[in-house]
Amino acid sequence: MRAMALLPSCEAYMDSRQPETFKSFFDCWLVEQNRHLQELVAATQQPSSVDEQSLRLLVRRVMEHYEHYYKAKDKWGKQDVLAMLSPSWTSRFEDAFLWIGGWRPSMAFHLLYSKSGIQLEDQLDELIRGLGRGDLGDLSPTQMWRVNELQGKTIREEKEISEKMAKHQETVADSSMVELSNMASEMMRRGDEVEKEKVESAMESKEEGMKEILQRADELRLATLKAVIEILSPKQAVYFLIAAAELHLRIHEWGKQRDDKYRRHNRVYCTG
């Protein structure tokens, strides 16, 4: 963590020179996310009288950080969509839970409900006495209704994008691709050179469809995050963003550790 703190801020890094890869940007972005997490946690340790305007400004900075991430991802996605869908900067554990190159939008609600339940249980005695902490354990009936409505809307959009992705994946076996693969195979059997232009054109058309789907998926991810934050009070938003950052950073860290352990085990096995 000490070494990570020596890296420049993400925005300064982006302004000073263009990162060579999205992984360079992502590693830097994680450093910034960890810094924001520390600020969010510090805000919860302030006196309960801390003004809401300060919390709103903090939440806004964190949300701008997420917006910065998706803006950069969109730029790189247009250059190399396959890298975004099969990221080299995440662990195999994270990859197993990816939905179209990122987190499934409906997970935001599971995170909210989980954190809300934990904080509610932690303050039951206070609630019985008519007291509350103003955190996610204090979600009002109106807030719960709005969250439920948003969840239903998000799941419908998520399903629509998933279906679009499924249909696009099926096109890899459409008549044009089957005909092209058959023609290429025949030419290879005769010892002729395959027409690379036709192959490149076919592959590029498939990638173009992926770019549109990835963009829609990322737009839904960011829109869902923003909509959840809008429903919450500034203090509740701080707790939600803490839970989101902790979950992301820890799973990324644990996944990388498991990958390192697996690689060490394989080296020992291969040389043993």
Side-chain angles (χ1 to χ4, degrees):
M1 190 66 66
R2 201 171 298 164
M4 290 177 67
L6 297 176
L7 292 174
S9 74
C10 197
E11 292 186 4
Y13 183 51
M14 289 288 285
D15 292 340
S16 61
R17 68 181 182 88
Q18 192 70 11
E20 296 178 359
T21 64
F22 186 80
K23 182 182 184 303
S24 301
F25 168 82
F26 180 73
D27 289 342
C28 185
W29 189 88
L30 283 183
V31 175
E32 288 288 287
Q33 186 180 41
N34 187 69
R35 183 175 65 81
H36 283 307
L37 174 58
Q38 294 173 13
E39 293 177 357
L40 289 164
V41 171
T44 66
Q45 297 170 345
Q46 298 298 318
S48 57
S49 59
V50 63
D51 69 297
E52 288 196 351
Q53 183 60 22
S54 297
L55 296 181
R56 285 195 181 91
L57 291 174
L58 174 57
V59 169
R60 185 184 304 168
R61 285 201 305 275
V62 175
M63 290 305 298
E64 287 173 351
H65 186 235
Y66 280 105
E67 291 174 359
H68 187 54
Y69 171 82
Y70 285 108
K71 188 180 296 183
K73 188 179 177 185
D74 179 62
K75 179 176 70 69
W76 261 284
K78 290 174 181 174
Q79 297 174 14
D80 188 356
V81 67
L82 299 184
M84 297 297 113
L85 294 172
S86 302
S88 61
W89 47 89
T90 55
S91 65
R92 293 183 305 155
F93 183 86
E94 291 171 285
D95 292 345
F97 292 91
L98 287 182
W99 176 79
I100 313 182
W103 53 278
R104 186 176 285 274
S106 55
M107 284 180 57
F109 304 100
H110 294 288
L111 174 64
L112 177 61
Y113 293 142
S114 294
K115 190 65 177 180
S116 176
I118 291 170
Q119 293 190 323
L120 177 62
E121 185 176 349
D122 189 49
Q123 59 170 310
L124 276 178
D125 291 341
E126 296 172 46
L127 288 174
I128 291 173
R129 297 197 303 271
L131 304 173
R133 300 177 184 174
D135 58 19
L136 294 173
D138 287 333
L139 290 175
S140 69
T142 299
Q143 285 178 310
M144 292 297 291
W145 179 83
R146 291 179 64 190
V147 168
N148 185 62
E149 288 289 303
L150 177 61
Q151 182 178 17
K153 178 175 178 291
T154 301
I155 290 175
R156 287 191 295 273
E157 293 184 38
E158 194 178 274
K159 182 180 178 182
E160 182 181 325
I161 297 172
S162 292
E163 290 174 350
K164 188 175 181 65
M165 181 62 150
K167 288 180 181 178
H168 187 66
Q169 288 173 328
E170 290 169 359
T171 65
V172 81
D174 63 18
S175 58
S176 64
M177 289 296 285
V178 172
E179 183 179 2
L180 179 61
S181 64
N182 178 254
M183 180 194 72
S185 299
E186 287 293 335
M187 294 179 71
M188 291 171 65
R189 281 192 282 268
R190 293 197 304 265
D192 297 334
E193 188 173 344
V194 178
E195 297 181 49
K196 294 181 180 179
E197 292 79 8
K198 286 188 176 181
V199 174
E200 283 296 315
S201 177
M203 299 291 279
E204 286 177 6
S205 69
K206 302 304 178 189
E207 289 187 27
E208 284 301 317
M210 289 292 186
K211 290 178 184 178
E212 179 188 344
I213 295 169
L214 175 62
Q215 184 178 26
R216 283 193 61 186
D218 281 340
E219 286 174 353
L220 181 58
R221 278 185 267 267
L222 183 58
T224 300
L225 184 58
K226 287 182 174 181
V228 169
I229 294 300
E230 287 176 4
I231 293 173
L232 304 176
S233 70
K235 186 173 183 180
Q236 289 171 334
V238 166
Y239 279 106
F240 178 77
L241 290 171
I242 287 174
E246 287 179 341
L247 187 65
H248 180 225
L249 289 168
R250 298 296 80 79
I251 286 181
H252 181 71
E253 175 187 338
W254 298 335
K256 289 293 187 181
Q257 289 173 354
R258 288 178 68 86
D259 285 352
D260 290 341
K261 181 180 178 181
Y262 180 79
R263 282 192 288 269
R264 288 196 301 270
H265 174 77
N266 274 1
R267 282 199 295 269
V268 171
Y269 179 79
C270 291
T271 58

